[in-house]
């Protein structure tokens, strides 16, 4: 079966712009989580959606937002980009509501560079 | 909130050497534990997980990990590494229950010389 698909793979944006990243989870997975990965901070949790509802939110400013559609696909949006937003953004899907048992399946990520 | 500590940030080994990567967590309740691996240029993938039963867990590619509850540890081991094990390894801890967010360690970069 197809894995978690993230588009685009690479993005270069200018400070102040906004960006939308997309994630298609594995078929049947209803939980989608987003992480920011940087060399210095590791994986930082952004938010999680389950059945179109935001179930958890990490400690990121309001410029970071997301949503999930009825087909479980998810998007995250970052407005007013800052240089510090440059990172690899990972989407992870999980089977069922209890992701603590199933674990995550990760996508390859979107590499965002802000210049 | 839980926290995860991976003590070894960078490990360099020769092929056939034994590997042990440390992972300690802080959380007072029941937890589920994971090791993920990220090979160069590839996505993060689940290596193994523990959520109940035998504390010695076997994963893919000959890796295993042992959950020692009294030490709050979940160390990853492999008796004989290969060059293809070169990757970044992440330990993750999640309190039991679906609404809890897993916390990841900062990762250990493993380089295996042929």
């Amino acid at each position: 079966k197809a894995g978690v698909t993230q588009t685009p793979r690479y993005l270069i944006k200018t400070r102040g712009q906004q960006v939308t990243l997309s994630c298609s989870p594995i078929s049947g997975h209803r939980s989608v989580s987003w992480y920011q990965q940087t060399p210095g901070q590791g994986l930082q949790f952004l938010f999680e959606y389950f059945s179109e509802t935001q179930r958890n939110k990490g400690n990121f400013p309001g410029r970071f937002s997301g949503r999930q559609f009825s087909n479980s696909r998810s998007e995250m949006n970052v407005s007013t980009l800052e240089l510090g937003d440059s990172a690899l953004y990972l989407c992870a899907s999980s089977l069922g509501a209890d992701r603590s048992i199933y674990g995550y399946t990760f996508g390859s990520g979107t590499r965002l560079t802000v210049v | 909130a839980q926290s995860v500590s991976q003590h070894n940030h960078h490990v360099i080994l020769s092929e056939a050497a034994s590997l042990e990567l440390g992972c300690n967590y802080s959380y007072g309740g029941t937890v589920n534990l994971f090791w993920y691996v990220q090979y160069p240029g590839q996505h993060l993938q689940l290596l193994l997980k523990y959520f109940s039963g035998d504390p010695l867990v076997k994963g893919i590619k000959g890796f295993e990990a042992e959950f020692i509850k009294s030490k709050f540890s979940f160390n990853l081991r492999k008796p004989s590494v290969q060059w293809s094990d070169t990757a970044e390894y992440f330990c993750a801890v999640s309190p039991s229950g679906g609404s809890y967010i897993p916390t990841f360690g900062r990762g250990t970069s493993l380089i295996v010389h042929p």
Side-chain angles (χ1 to χ4, degrees):
Chain A
K1 57 183 176 183
V4 177
T5 304
Q6 291 189 246
T7 56
R9 291 294 308 276
Y10 302 93
L11 266 178
I12 300 176
K13 290 287 188 179
T14 305
R15 271 184 304 176
Q17 287 187 312
Q18 76 164 23
V19 67
T20 299
L21 312 181
S22 179
C23 171
S24 293
I26 289 176
S27 178
H29 285 198
R30 290 190 293 159
S31 168
V32 175
S33 298
W34 289 88
Y35 283 83
Q36 181 193 67
Q37 185 179 15
T38 58
Q41 297 296 319
L43 275 82
Q44 302 288 309
F45 172 75
L46 281 154
F47 26 67
E48 181 207 11
Y49 289 88
F50 183 80
S51 294
E52 301 179 66
T53 301
Q54 188 179 84
R55 186 160 70 164
N56 285 290
K57 189 176 190 305
N59 191 26
F60 277 79
R63 301 184 295 107
F64 291 81
S65 62
R67 58 179 175 168
Q68 186 180 33
F69 302 95
S70 58
N71 61 358
S72 293
R73 190 178 71 85
S74 177
E75 289 181 347
M76 69 162 280
N77 184 278
V78 188
S79 62
T80 320
L81 284 166
E82 301 177 359
L83 295 178
D85 297 333
S86 295
L88 181 67
Y89 289 89
L90 296 172
C91 171
S93 73
S94 184
L95 175 66
D98 191 349
R99 96 186 86 53
S100 69
I101 289 181
Y102 297 107
Y104 285 132
T105 300
F106 282 89
S108 297
T110 294
R111 173 75 62 186
L112 172 64
T113 302
V114 182
V115 298
Chain B
Q2 69 272 23
S3 65
V4 180
S5 177
Q6 291 183 242
H7 313 294
N8 318 100
H9 298 294
H10 300 281
V11 174
I12 301 174
L13 295 172
S14 298
E15 274 193 320
S18 64
L19 171 71
E20 181 160 3
L21 300 182
C23 173
N24 285 88
Y25 68 93
S26 63
Y27 184 75
T30 305
V31 294
N32 298 328
L33 300 151
F34 305 84
W35 276 98
Y36 289 86
V37 60
Q38 189 171 32
Y39 297 104
Q42 296 188 27
H43 61 276
L44 271 161
Q45 54 187 289
L46 185 64
L47 199 54
L48 48 79
K49 63 182 179 182
Y50 168 85
F51 58 89
S52 67
D54 188 344
L56 184 61
V57 180
K58 295 191 184 300
I60 60 173
K61 303 185 180 184
F63 285 91
E64 65 179 30
E66 185 176 14
F67 172 45
I68 303 179
K69 190 174 181 180
S70 60
K71 295 185 178 180
F72 298 90
S73 70
F74 190 56
N75 292 352
L76 181 70
R77 302 194 294 246
K78 186 171 183 178
S80 175
V81 294
Q82 301 173 313
W83 174 77
S84 58
D85 294 325
T86 294
E88 188 139 14
Y89 294 80
F90 294 88
C91 179
V93 174
S94 176
S96 295
S99 63
Y100 292 102
I101 300 301
T103 298
F104 285 80
R106 294 204 172 180
T108 296
S109 173
L110 171 67
I111 296 175
V112 180
H113 289 300

